[in-house]
């Protein structure tokens, strides 16, 4: 028990150190935009010892104003999907590939993904989740490439809800790609898929 508590504290401490590095990341192409708008970097939040880690794309305006991931409209929907499988935000860990808001919520550029990727990899290695749920095509493509999965190049429409797995230094990790919650605002028909994929996620835990 003491050991568990200590290892969670160590994880928390290592995550905090990483978050501070991102705060000082002035070589990021998004750093000046952050400063100019008085935005905050959005590192990630939740249980440092979570079994489930959600990875989204990049912060939107609400996230950049608060420094917290998924607190806008997509976040409200994510919260309701979590409660549909009896989970709370505090049970899981939620982060993004890109840790600063891209202007006008445009898609992240490759250079932006590249600069924040090592931080995401470190977050994964610290938290050591059993399941990674990727939200949307950017996070899905990133994780598929990272672990050299055979689904490389497949569209999110083909692989959402498909359970993949990979060996890692800390054991087997399941990966489940999902539509991004915000995609449902543009196409209501995707809601049923997302709800079903959350149910699949529940069965994995
Ligand atoms: N969309 C994302 O991908 N991440 C957030 O944190 C908010 C919206």
């Amino acid at each position: 028990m003491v050991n568990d508590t200590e290892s969670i504290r160590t994880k928390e401490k290592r995550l905090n150190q990483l978050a501070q590095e991102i705060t000082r990341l002035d070589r990021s192409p998004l750093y000046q935009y952050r400063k100019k708008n008085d935005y905050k970097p959005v590192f990630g939040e939740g249980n440092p010892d979570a079994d489930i880690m959600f990875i989204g794309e990049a912060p939107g305006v609400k996230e950049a104003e608060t420094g917290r991931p998924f607190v806008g409209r997509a976040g409200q929907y994510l919260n309701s999907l979590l409660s549909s499988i009896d989970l709370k935000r505090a049970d899981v860990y939620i982060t993004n590939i890109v840790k600063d808001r891209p202007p006008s919520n445009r898609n992240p550029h490759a250079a932006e993904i590249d600069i924040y990727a090592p931080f995401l990899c470190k977050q994964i290695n610290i938290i050591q989740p059993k399941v990674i749920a990727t939200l949307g095509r950017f996070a899905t493509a990133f994780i598929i490439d990272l672990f050299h999965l055979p689904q490389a190049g497949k569209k999110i429409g083909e692989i959402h809800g498909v359970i993949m797995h990979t060996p890692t230094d800390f054991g087997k990790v399941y990966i489940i790609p999902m539509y991004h919650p915000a995609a449902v605002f543009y196409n209501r028909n995707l809601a049923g898929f997302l709800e079903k994929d959350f149910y699949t996620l529940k069965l994995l835990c």
Side-chain angles (χ1 to χ4, degrees), residues 42 56-60 63 68-72 74-75 94-96 135 180 182:
V42 180
E57 186 177 309
E63 288 77 18
R68 299 182 56 211
F70 282 96
V71 290
I94 304 174
T95 190
N96 290 299
L135 302 173
H180 194 288

Side-chain angles (χ1 to χ4, degrees), residues 77-91:
Y77 185 39
L78 177 62
N79 292 349
S80 74
L81 289 162
L82 283 170
S83 53
S84 77
I85 56 165
D86 298 320
L87 286 174
K88 296 185 291 292
R89 283 176 73 109
D91 297 324

Side-chain angles (χ1 to χ4, degrees), residues 2 7 9 13-14 16 19-20 29 32 51 56 66 77-78 83 89 96 100 115 118 127 132 137 155 161 166-167 188:
V2 172
S7 102
R9 278 213 197 102
K13 203 169 144 201
R14 290 178 64 202
N16 287 340
Q20 282 170 27
Q32 289 308 327
D51 284 345
T66 57
Y77 185 39
L78 177 62
S83 53
R89 283 176 73 109
N96 290 299
D100 278 291
I115 208 153
I127 295 164
I132 295 176
R137 65 190 171 101
K155 295 219 158 73
T166 182
R188 291 301 308 170

Side-chain angles (χ1 to χ4, degrees), residues 130-134 143-144 147 149 162-166 173-177 204:
K130 294 189 170 59
V131 184
I132 295 176
T134 54
I143 291 294
I144 284 176
F147 293 116
L149 296 172
V162 173
I163 300 165
M164 309 167 190
H165 57 86
T166 182
V173 174
Y174 290 97
I175 291 150
I176 174 160
L204 268 179

